[in-house]
Structures are given as structure tokens and as C-alpha cells.
Amino acid sequence: MAEIKTLEALEILDSRGNPTLDVTVTLNNGVKATAKIPSGASTGKREAMELRDGDKQRYSGKGVLKACGYVEGEILNAVRGMDPNEQKALDSALCKLDGTANKSRLGANAILGVSLASARAAAKDRGVPLYAHLGSDTDYILPTPMLNVLNGGRHADNSVDFQEFMIAPVGAPSFRDALQAAVETFHVLKSVLQLKTYSTAVGDEGGFAPELKSNEEAIELILEAIDKAGYRPGEDIAVMLDPAASEFFEDGGYVFRKSDQSRKKPAEMVALWREWLQKYPAIWSLEDGLGEEDRQGWQQLTRELGDQIQLVGDDNFVTNPELFRQGIQDGIANAILIKLNQIGTVTETLECIALAQEHGYGAVISHRSGETDDTSIADLAVATGVGQIKTGSASRGERVAKYNRLLAIERELAGKARYAGAGVYSRWRKPFAVGKP
Ligand code: PGA
Ligand code: ZN
């Protein structure tokens, strides 16, 4: 049996230049594996807690030396000798050691570092790729990528309230072709922006972040780029949104502070989404269309639009099996966003995905806006066969690293994997379906 022998934690930097953890597990047989931890900006209120030092003398309080210390001290003492193949036992020991509901004592960053590095070590020990270790080895599905090509909200200093405007190459026959279509569109979008003398500087997730006149203009520009790149909007390439509405939900209403200062009631926000879907049938997915605290709004949104479009819950579920179970019961959303560091262990993450699959919910594996070159989420998407991943645009190394990993997996699985494509969305694509009747 392989056993965890040592843990090392290093304070490294994420893609925004903030400290984060790099955790290396060494097994008694000499096998070593590392995981690097991402960090969000538009975080859900009930996410597991990321432990920061709070020492204003270092990195404005954002250092993670305490978390590193816990990994090499208390956590190592508790998990030394454990079998990294027993992920559930390991993760439950980590949760127990922490002892809080939101992992705030040792930090979800410290705990996930150990949980994920151990999974990687177990895979190496077995001599299999991470996707094969975490999943069953039949019927692999390569995910449809959702590339965040226009950034607004908290991820960009511009006048766009909505955080993410994504393109998803749903009509391609393979992952490789899909990525090509999306990337070509990204480059055309750059020239479309240049023609209009907009900035083509990129935001945190590698998408462009121009000073647009309105939120709708973002959609119009993307549709123009898809068309100019030689693809059909809503057939070859669909549009997917994550407005991250919790960020502009204030006192029971939605305030468009970055654009026209208007304010909408929850029912008006639902009406706005209905209008957008009717006007832009190429939109196939809407994440966090309403705020995490607006449960009634979410129920209304799900009732009214839930059989026509994918409605993804991010801030409201925060990859937490308990919150997700409650949400399913309450008729909220029809898909979940999956972020390992929102909950802090591999086991609880897999539990959420299993819950989604059991209840007919979709699942989208996701990066964070602060990332590293760790590519585990690409493997997680293939392992679980959820068929969707969002990991930024076609620029910035930490974003394309995940897409590059998927290209490598596709080649490795030649003939043994299929590309998810449009199939994942077929259960929701009803009245607004595009194309010929
Ligand atoms: P975050 O944003 O990583 O900043 O939380 C991503 C998202 O909202 O999906
Ligand atoms: Zn989101």
C-alpha cells in the first residue's frame, strides 16, 4: 500500500499576482505529485474559506504562510501513513481535523492542496493519468469548452456589468476542431474590436475588456465575430453568459452601476433574460442570472426558462453538496458550476457532480479568475464525463494550459472518447431552438 510520507507547501503566486499554495505530496515509495490552488474574485458568500495571513506588511494581508504551515505541520501529522488511493477517508480526515463547517480553521486552500495533490499522487502511483484515476475508464467524453471572450463585472475595469460573455463551439466534431473554431472566432473578435477602435487589452480570464456602450453590445460584437469567422451563431458556436448577478444585487434589486445606473426588480431581471433569449437564440446557457440571495427570483427564473436553456448555479450552490441538495429540492437552476476550491476537497466535489447526474442537472467544471498552471480541472472534466468546461479565453498561459491538456487527453484517448458538443444541451433546447423548424 502506498502511504503519504511528507507534505511540502510553498507560497507561490496566482495569475493576478496574489499568493496561493503549491502543495507537494511525497509517498513512501518516492512518488511525488503537486497541486496548485486557484482563487476567485466574485466569490459566493458561502464558499469554503480561503485562509489568508492578514499580515498587512506582506502582500496586503494576502499571504498564505499560515496555510503553508498547517500543511507541513498539523495536517501532515494527521495524514502521514494514509493511503492516497483512499480519497474519501483522506478527505474526511481533513474535514474532521479542520473541525469547522466552512474549513475556516486550516483553510480550504490548505485542505484542497493536500486533497488534490494526493489524488494526483495516487494516479501517479497507479501509473494512470488523473482522469483515469478519478473516473471510470470507459466512454470518455471530452467537454465542450466555454471560452470567456469578453470580460466585464469584477474581472475588468470597464462599463460592462455582466462578468462573462462566452462562446462554446457546440457544432464541432471533435475537441480539437471545437477549440480551433472558438480560437479563430476570438482572433476575429479582436479585429472587430480594433475596427471600432475599442481596446483589445484582456481581463483576468484572458477575454477582451473594452469600454462598450452597453451589455447588449457585447453580445452583438460576439455574434458579428462568429459570423465573420465563418461560423453560424447558435449552430456551430453558441453564446453562454455568466453575468455573476450576485455582484450587482443590492437591497433586493439589480443595480447596473457600471453601465446606465438603472435598477431592476427580480421579476424585471427575469423578463430581461427572457427578452435576451428571444432576441438572441444563440444563447444556450445562463449562469448566475440572478443573485445567490434571490431564491424566489431563482425559482421564478427556473420555472419560466428552465426548460428552454441551461441555468447554471454558481454562487448559490458553491459546489457544496448540502446547499446543492437544498437547491434541487427548491427547484432552483438545472445545472451546477463545479469549482474544487469552493468546497475544498476532491470527494465533496465528486459528490456534487454525482448529485447533478442523479437529478438530471447539468454540470460545468470551472477554473477561477485567479489561476495557476495546474491543469487538474481538465482531467476532472474528462473523468466525470459532465461534458462542459469553462476555463477562460484563448489567451493567458494559465487559461490555455487547461485547453492544451484537453488536446493531449484527446490524442491519448484516440477512438475511445467522443466530443460532447451540442448533445449536452439538447435537454433544454426547446422553444428557442435555432435553425430550421
Ligand atoms: P471567480 O469568477 O473565479 O472570480 O469567482 C468565476 C465565476 O463567477 O464563474
Ligand atoms: Zn460564475
Side-chain angles (χ1 to χ4, degrees):
M1 179 187 107
E3 288 178 10
I4 295 175
K5 189 176 161 203
T6 61
L7 295 175
E8 287 163 280
L10 181 66
E11 184 186 58
I12 59 163
L13 297 177
D14 73 12
S15 56
R16 276 193 282 247
N18 291 324
T20 189
L21 279 94
D22 169 307
V23 175
T24 299
V25 172
T26 306
L27 306 182
N28 56 342
N29 55 13
V31 167
K32 258 180 197 258
T34 297
K36 299 174 198 177
I37 303 308
S39 173
S42 64
T43 46
K45 289 199 172 61
R46 288 170 295 176
E47 290 194 18
M49 215 188 95
E50 181 176 77
L51 188 68
R52 301 251 174 222
D53 296 339
D55 170 5
K56 296 279 182 229
Q57 305 300 314
R58 296 187 71 249
Y59 292 117
S60 313
K62 289 187 174 165
V64 292
L65 293 180
K66 273 187 202 160
C68 289
Y70 284 137
V71 170
E72 295 186 348
E74 226 184 290
I75 296 181
L76 174 61
N77 285 337
V79 304
R80 188 186 282 121
M82 287 190 85
D83 182 351
N85 280 289
E86 299 293 331
Q87 188 83 47
K88 266 193 191 163
L90 175 71
D91 289 343
S92 115
L94 290 168
C95 292
K96 216 167 137 200
L97 180 70
D98 174 79
T100 67
N102 63 352
K103 302 186 178 68
S104 54
R105 192 175 77 79
L106 301 170
N109 41 357
I111 291 173
L112 180 62
V114 176
S115 176
L116 188 57
S118 298
R120 298 189 69 94
K124 244 190 181 173
D125 180 52
R126 290 175 58 197
V128 298
L130 183 61
Y131 64 82
H133 172 65
L134 293 177
S136 61
D137 54 358
T138 49
D139 288 342
Y140 283 117
I141 297 171
L142 291 155
T144 302
M146 298 154 75
L147 285 87
N148 180 12
V149 292
L150 276 178
N151 298 184
R154 273 214 181 200
H155 294 171
D157 295 321
N158 59 12
S159 47
V160 180
D161 302 283
F162 301 160
Q163 181 177 281
E164 302 175 16
F165 295 83
M166 296 172 276
I167 53 173
V170 292
S174 67
F175 179 79
R176 184 188 145 115
D177 291 309
L179 193 62
Q180 183 190 326
V183 173
E184 285 172 2
T185 304
F186 171 74
H187 290 300
V188 172
L189 179 60
K190 182 170 186 173
S191 53
V192 166
L193 293 172
Q194 279 166 337
L195 269 177
K196 297 190 194 305
T197 67
Y198 281 134
S199 156
T200 54
V202 297
D204 288 355
E205 298 189 348
F208 302 115
E211 270 300 333
L212 303 180
K213 293 179 200 73
S214 66
N215 295 308
E216 251 182 293
E217 193 185 5
I219 301 274
E220 302 279 357
L221 290 169
I222 287 177
L223 293 176
E224 185 182 337
I226 295 173
D227 186 60
K228 279 196 172 153
Y231 297 102
R232 295 161 301 177
E235 289 182 54
D236 299 316
I237 298 187
V239 176
M240 317 228 159
L241 307 177
D242 176 10
S246 305
E247 299 298 321
F248 51 93
F249 186 63
E250 292 169 25
D251 306 323
Y254 295 87
V255 188
F256 289 17
R257 284 205 192 288
K258 294 184 81 183
S259 58
D260 61 10
Q261 308 302 316
S262 64
R263 184 187 169 91
K264 290 194 184 342
K265 296 191 184 106
E268 292 170 324
M269 206 57 207
V270 174
L272 178 135
W273 293 130
R274 173 182 289 283
E275 256 169 57
W276 273 42
L277 298 185
Q278 276 164 344
K279 191 165 170 195
Y280 306 112
I283 299 175
W284 285 24
S285 179
L286 174 64
E287 176 187 328
D288 283 0
L290 296 175
E292 62 178 285
E293 278 155 309
D294 186 6
R295 291 187 81 76
Q296 279 186 353
W298 258 108
Q299 285 173 320
Q300 187 192 348
L301 181 74
T302 310
R303 258 193 328 269
E304 292 191 18
L305 301 177
D307 60 349
Q308 295 155 1
I309 185 174
Q310 174 172 253
L311 297 171
V312 187
D314 171 10
D315 287 352
N316 49 3
F317 298 149
V318 291
T319 319
N320 180 318
E322 222 173 286
L323 296 176
F324 185 32
R325 230 178 245 118
Q326 188 62 52
I328 294 171
Q329 249 175 42
D330 295 348
I332 285 175
N334 58 27
I336 179 173
L337 199 77
I338 300 291
K339 294 166 167 165
L340 284 151
N341 83 322
Q342 276 183 328
I343 188 68
T345 63
V346 171
T347 301
E348 290 161 288
T349 304
L350 292 174
E351 197 186 325
C352 271
I353 296 169
L355 268 176
Q357 287 166 337
E358 237 169 76
H359 290 88
Y361 271 56
V364 182
I365 307 296
S366 172
H367 63 162
R368 297 308 304 247
S369 50
E371 264 294 336
T372 71
D373 56 351
D374 187 296
T375 57
S376 304
I377 59 167
D379 286 72
L380 180 65
V382 176
T384 54
V386 295
Q388 298 183 80
I389 190 167
K390 71 163 195 178
T391 181
S393 186
S395 81
R396 297 188 62 130
E398 76 281 3
R399 311 295 148 185
V400 297
K402 279 73 160 171
Y403 296 127
N404 288 341
R405 171 68 186 145
L406 286 165
L407 288 171
I409 295 176
E410 181 176 53
R411 190 171 68 174
E412 200 167 287
L413 288 175
K416 283 191 277 174
R418 67 183 170 81
Y419 172 59
V424 200
Y425 308 92
S426 56
R427 59 190 131 163
W428 302 297
R429 303 286 309 139
K430 284 169 198 152
F432 296 145
V434 275
K436 294 101 220 151

